[in-house]
Amino acid sequence: MIPGAFAYHRPTSIKDAVGLLAQFGDDGRALAGGHSLIPMMKLRLATPANLVDLAGIAELKGVRADGDEMVIGAMTTQHDLIASDLLSEKIPILRETSELIADPQVRYLGTLGGNVANGDPGNDMPAVMVCLNATYQVTGKSGERRIPARQFYHGAYFTALEPGDVLTAVRMPVPAAGHGYAYEKLKRKVGDYATAAAAVVLTLSGGKVANCSIGLTNVADTPLFAKDAADAVVGTGLDEAAVAEAVRRARGIANPSADGRGPVEFRTHIAGVMVRRALMRAKERAR
Ligand SMILES: Cc1cc2nc3c(=O)[nH]c(=O)nc-3n(C[C@H](O)[C@H](O)[C@H](O)COP(=O)(O)OP(=O)(O)OC[C@H]3O[C@@H](n4cnc5c(N)ncnc54)[C@H](O)[C@@H]3O)c2cc1C
């Protein structure tokens, strides 16, 4: 339970953080809230020789509007997301999801950037980012680039990040006013990762679904963008047949592992239950 020895670095600019991480290569890791990385270091599943703490970089924090997008600094904590009235007004699924992550102690330190950069299929925010069609802003040795969340996750703990990269912000389009949303998560107890979870954002027009997007958590090696499931309800009034078809299609792409949260069949079944619940609650909330 004691991590291996490491050197600690605390840069105060993105440029310096990228410089340090590029210099250390595979021997360096960015440190954000530490609530995924430090437990892995204690288990010796991660043994970085150098930790580059991002906490001293003021420009990585905060929430702001930029035209039709919200921009959230990577070091913005899950607690900050819950506390932001601007975010709760514009993209309320972020508060709902944050409140289902761990417990207040973890949320005071755990960051949005760490949650999405980690690559753990159990993390809740990646599926929400996939659902919202978010983009990750990354600065590396060759400058800045933007990576769509839907292309970022390559496998468990494998992402589009290269050694030396710092994820600086997450950008997401603000869904239409009056949209419905829900993040439904089944967990064994408070503070647990999802057995399965579903994020839904939709808009209604004349009682019919005009747009719908669905993301799934912890039912594959990566978050899943359930496009076919969402397409099943577009143009419908979310009648039973349409919802059942969305559930069937979501289960069709789920590929969970058997673990302490249940066998494959159970977790696949629960993925569908979460989609059904999220669709129903999003419909109730849509105006
Ligand atoms: C008891 C407990 C329960 C939890 N339950 C949940 C849960 O239900 N749902 C959930 O989603 N999470 C859960 N977590 C994890 C928690 O949300 C973490 O805070 C989060 O996964 C990682 O964020 P962090 O800021 O702590 O990142 P860190 O642990 O500091 O970093 C995680 C990884 O991301 C990399 N990284 C971090 N920031 C950046 C960046 N800006 N640029 C590039 N790389 C970066 C790090 O190098 C590291 O590899 C739980 C944690 C604990 C301890």
Side-chain angles (χ1 to χ4, degrees), residues 21 28-40 51-52 54 60 74-76 78 97 100-103 106-107 109-120 122-126 157 161 165-169 183 185 187 191-194 217:
L21 286 166
R29 285 285 274 275
L31 174 69
H35 272 65
S36 288
L37 181 55
I38 302 294
M40 288 179 77
L51 282 187
V52 178
L54 305 178
L60 290 178
M75 289 298 286
T76 305
Q78 293 148 10
T97 306
L100 290 170
I101 293 177
D103 50 53
V106 172
R107 298 195 295 255
L109 281 175
T111 65
L112 177 63
N115 199 287
V116 300
N118 195 29
D120 182 342
N123 282 139
D124 288 290
M125 283 298 178
Y157 298 101
L161 288 180
D165 281 346
V166 173
L167 189 151
T168 56
Y183 189 68
K185 172 177 176 179
K187 48 189 176 169
D192 194 19
Y193 291 87
T217 296

Side-chain angles (χ1 to χ4, degrees), residues 35 86 94 120 203 210 216 240 242 252 258 262 281:
H35 272 65
L86 178 63
L94 296 178
D120 182 342
T203 55
L216 302 176
E240 174 51 31
R281 213 145 54 83

